[in-house]
Amino acid sequence: MQSSFERLEVNVREALASDARRIAALALQLGYDVTIAHVETFLAARTNERELFVAVVPRAGVVGWIGAHASAPLTAAKHAVVDGLVVEDEYRGVRVGEALLQRVEAWARARECTAVRLRANVVRERAHEFYRRHGYAVLKTQHLFAKSL
């Protein structure tokens, strides 16, 4: 299938409210049950320090998205954090994810971030290889703790 996408035209742009249904559907592919209403609220609340981009392919529409925010904690230099990256199954491996990452990296540089950080579930080995191929390195392994309120 990859050969049919050799000259794939991908446009990465800021997400629009009209993309909310597709963004929610793509999130579900990775097991995140995000409602359309939540996506719409998120999009309406974006700031200069928080953005969501979509990858659009002619005749297919939105086939991926990436969200990021800038972070300036006391313990580290200002950096961007990828909140999520999803590419439609049939468009994985044909540079859609790469285009999304490059857009966030440019966005981060424009905000004077010194790095881009992201988390990937330990079971997503294909994603780990993708990030390594694009220059990302594992900084540490950790546990994520949460407490419901």
Side-chain angles (χ1 to χ4, degrees):
M1 181 182 292
Q2 188 166 341
S3 62
S4 66
F5 291 118
E6 285 179 14
R7 295 187 184 150
L8 185 67
E9 179 185 335
V10 179
N11 176 40
V12 177
R13 61 165 170 76
E14 292 178 5
L16 305 172
S18 59
D19 299 323
R21 180 177 303 281
R22 190 72 184 118
I23 291 166
L26 286 166
L28 196 56
Q29 284 190 14
L30 288 185
Y32 299 113
D33 191 7
V34 179
T35 66
I36 296 166
H38 179 73
V39 175
E40 290 170 339
T41 299
F42 180 89
L43 292 173
R46 285 179 291 181
T47 67
N48 187 50
E49 299 291 303
R50 180 173 296 279
E51 190 55 83
L52 187 68
F53 299 100
V54 293
V56 181
V57 172
R59 294 185 298 279
V62 173
V63 298
W65 60 262
I66 189 168
H69 70 274
S71 178
L74 176 65
T75 57
K78 185 178 182 183
H79 59 276
V81 178
V82 172
D83 300 318
L85 169 60
V86 182
V87 175
E88 176 80 42
D89 288 340
E90 68 182 272
Y91 288 91
R92 292 181 188 157
V94 294
R95 301 200 139 148
V96 172
E98 178 180 348
L100 288 163
L101 270 182
Q102 288 174 348
R103 183 62 184 94
V104 160
E105 290 167 2
W107 176 86
R109 281 186 203 94
R111 279 145 191 82
E112 300 181 350
C113 294
T114 61
V116 176
R117 293 184 179 184
L118 56 89
R119 291 175 179 80
N121 192 310
V122 295
V123 300
R124 294 195 172 123
E125 294 178 13
R126 188 173 171 199
H128 302 165
E129 284 307 310
F130 168 78
Y131 295 126
R132 285 186 184 98
R133 280 195 315 273
H134 291 90
Y136 289 77
V138 175
L139 296 181
K140 64 181 173 180
T141 303
Q142 63 187 40
H143 295 281
L144 175 64
F145 293 88
K147 180 180 182 180
S148 294
L149 302 177

